[in-house]
Amino acid sequence: MASDKVELNPVYLKEETKQKVRKSFLHSAQSDLPAVLLKDFFTKNFYEELQKKVSSLHFTKDTVVLHHSYQISKFTISSPEFCEFLSFVTKKKIEKVNLSAYLLTWKDYQILNDQYLEKSGIDIAIDLTDGWNPEWGGIVTYTDGKGTVYPLVPTGNSLALIERKRNLHKYIQYANHYGKDKKRMLLVATV
Amino acid sequence: MALNNWFDPEYLTEKSVKKLQAAFAGNRPFPHLELAHFLKGEKIVELLKTLGEQEFSPHRSDLFQFAQTSDLLYTDDPVLKEFISVLSSQELLGFMKKITNLKLNGKIDLFASIYQDTDYLLPHDDQVPGRKIAFMFYLNGLEENDGGTLALYGPKNKNADKIAKRFIPKAGTLIFFEVSGLSIHTVEEVLTDTQRITLSGWFYG
């Protein structure tokens, strides 16, 4: 499924905001976790529409026990407004974004495994879950492999941009039984 | 070092060892054994008492969440030192070698772990150079609805995503298995307000 029309929160369309976000993202390159988290990224109406679209995708269970267990599908965003925003902030030419849609429930996880190392790049993570308690697990987490971890705080209607350098790897914390009646939906891509 | 002081002597007879040898090799999805009541009741009490004085640190990564002691080989505690001497003794190594038909060099690792509500160990195979046998002594028992079971996965390329066998922790039980590319296992999440207490480690060769 694809979305060629996206409504960003008008705040993020202001030149001043875009400049600030770009500066913040590019300056973060020197920090341990080069990243920005943009809250209330879409308009409320579009966010709800996006949640509906993604939750209606056909998800398939994908399990490789030594690496991951989750339900996954695909979703593409080709909206010029969205791509222009990302291109501006990241200074990379982005014309469309092919995202993996993740549906996490109890017992799902993704662990680090040398056989499944991802190429470095800029991760785009759109959080489509409201009211997810971090204590339930299921958190996208970055690690430098030396014991320092950087969990992405679960925030509905947020967009996170993370420059995943060679020494930075991501995993998904095991989703525990306290969230067993809940579902966590995420869109993730690397550009 | 008298194994009889620590372990059920019925397991240690020649006749029993022969039976265990056949069972170990024949057990699927990969060679393993579960020896119920192997550790004597009074030793469980002694070990639990002494572990109550040890420091357990929270361990958390992409793969696990539980609390664990540091490597107990360096402990000054007399009970744990004796237990380690027993595990490293020629008598016990001989017992394990006969059952598993694996060459062991006497080196072991030993840790105590406590799993509580939501703690887990995700699937992995334990392979590290030199590790031959993984073992765990359960120091307390859990019910099925508590979680915390040791689960063994089916063979690779066949049912690698399916759990083939589960073991509910029972006080005094010893479980061990041969470490190999096949030995994919997990400790399933603890689901209740309980503790799963084990002494576990590896025999090297």
Side-chain angles (χ1 to χ4, degrees):
Chain A
M1 190 182 279
S3 184
D4 54 7
K5 193 172 178 295
V6 159
E7 289 172 18
L8 302 193
N9 181 337
V11 169
Y12 292 110
L13 297 174
K14 286 183 182 171
E15 190 58 27
E16 189 191 343
T17 315
K18 281 162 61 178
Q19 290 287 358
K20 268 189 188 169
V21 173
R22 172 148 90 170
K23 201 173 163 186
S24 176
F25 180 65
L26 298 177
H27 278 199
S28 74
Q30 304 307 319
S31 65
D32 293 334
L33 182 67
V36 288
L37 178 72
L38 308 178
K39 294 181 180 175
D40 297 319
F41 186 69
F42 300 107
T43 62
K44 192 171 178 289
N45 284 346
F46 179 77
Y47 173 63
E48 286 169 2
E49 194 184 307
L50 186 60
Q51 282 178 311
K52 275 183 198 159
K53 270 189 182 176
V54 175
S55 59
S56 71
L57 292 174
H58 177 67
F59 284 90
T60 51
K61 183 74 181 177
D62 188 7
T63 303
V64 176
V65 286
L66 293 178
H67 184 244
H68 63 257
S69 173
Y70 41 60
Q71 292 177 70
I72 194 161
S73 189
K74 290 183 189 309
F75 193 80
T76 300
I77 301 181
S78 53
S79 137
E81 197 174 77
F82 181 73
C83 294
E84 277 165 23
F85 178 85
L86 291 179
S87 300
F88 182 82
V89 172
T90 62
K91 282 192 166 177
K92 272 191 164 193
K93 194 178 177 189
I94 296 168
E95 288 172 336
K96 70 173 178 180
V97 186
N98 294 317
L99 298 127
S100 296
Y102 293 93
L103 187 63
L104 304 175
T105 55
W106 184 27
K107 301 184 182 184
D108 285 345
Y109 61 88
Q110 180 180 307
I111 51 188
L112 301 174
N113 182 321
D114 288 345
Q115 289 178 20
Y116 295 88
L117 286 183
E118 295 175 285
K119 284 182 183 170
S120 46
I122 296 173
D123 284 349
I124 298 166
I126 299 170
D127 195 329
L128 298 173
T129 314
D130 300 309
W132 184 264
N133 185 336
E135 290 184 3
W136 300 340
I139 310 296
V140 177
T141 304
Y142 289 79
T143 177
D144 61 3
K146 294 175 189 164
T148 312
V149 294
Y150 308 95
L152 275 190
V153 181
T155 313
N157 195 10
S158 68
L159 176 119
L161 295 172
I162 305 98
E163 189 184 355
R164 191 164 34 71
K165 297 172 182 173
R166 203 174 293 170
N167 63 339
L168 209 56
H169 303 285
K170 76 167 180 286
Y171 62 89
I172 301 173
Q173 281 175 17
Y174 174 82
N176 66 45
H177 70 97
Y178 282 101
K180 70 177 172 186
D181 301 323
K182 309 278 192 301
K183 288 178 179 176
R184 176 151 164 71
M185 235 166 26
L186 291 163
L187 293 172
V188 180
T190 303
V191 293
Chain B
M1 189 67 61
L3 297 188
N4 289 353
N5 291 342
W6 281 82
F7 307 127
D8 182 348
E10 286 198 14
Y11 281 115
L12 307 173
T13 62
E14 280 293 320
K15 196 177 163 191
S16 169
V17 168
K18 275 194 180 166
K19 272 190 190 169
L20 296 177
Q21 191 181 35
F24 178 81
N27 273 343
R28 296 289 177 264
F30 47 84
H32 69 271
L33 268 185
E34 179 189 33
L35 306 184
H37 306 295
F38 186 70
L39 189 59
K40 286 187 167 179
E42 64 266 29
K43 294 299 181 188
I44 298 173
V45 174
E46 276 183 45
L47 286 166
L48 282 172
K49 191 178 169 199
T50 205
L51 288 177
E53 292 156 15
Q54 303 295 311
E55 190 178 331
F56 287 78
S57 316
H59 281 50
R60 194 169 192 180
S61 79
D62 57 314
L63 192 64
F64 49 73
Q65 176 187 297
F66 52 75
Q68 196 176 56
T69 61
S70 54
D71 190 339
L72 292 174
L73 295 188
Y74 306 104
T75 182
D76 291 329
D77 181 273
V79 175
L80 290 170
K81 276 176 101 165
E82 191 188 332
F83 186 57
I84 289 161
S85 299
V86 170
L87 293 182
S88 320
S89 66
Q90 287 306 315
E91 289 92 329
L92 190 77
L93 290 176
F95 175 76
M96 297 302 291
K97 281 182 196 172
K98 277 183 199 163
I99 292 172
T100 63
N101 206 23
L102 292 167
K103 287 182 182 168
L104 306 176
N105 61 16
K107 185 190 167 199
I108 64 162
D109 284 334
L110 184 70
F111 301 88
S113 308
I114 299 179
Y115 287 67
Q116 303 187 86
D117 191 12
T118 74
D119 287 352
Y120 58 86
L121 174 61
L122 294 176
H124 64 292
D125 61 18
D126 263 8
Q127 280 197 105
V128 163
R131 281 183 186 170
K132 297 293 179 191
I133 301 170
F135 65 87
M136 58 228 69
F137 289 91
Y138 292 121
L139 300 183
N140 68 326
L142 298 183
E143 301 293 328
E144 194 173 358
N145 66 346
D146 290 324
T149 52
L150 172 72
L152 312 183
Y153 281 87
K156 274 183 182 171
N157 305 324
K158 260 188 157 183
N159 292 307
D161 61 342
K162 299 273 190 304
I163 288 173
K165 210 162 184 178
R166 280 189 170 89
F167 299 96
I168 299 169
K170 292 174 205 144
T173 292
L174 166 66
I175 293 185
F176 57 93
F177 58 80
E178 181 178 356
V179 175
S180 73
L182 295 176
S183 57
I184 299 169
H185 61 285
T186 187
V187 176
E188 295 184 293
E189 180 188 357
V190 172
L191 303 172
T192 60
D193 183 19
T194 189
Q195 290 192 325
R196 174 192 190 270
I197 309 170
T198 59
L199 277 163
S200 59
W202 298 271
F203 289 101
Y204 286 76

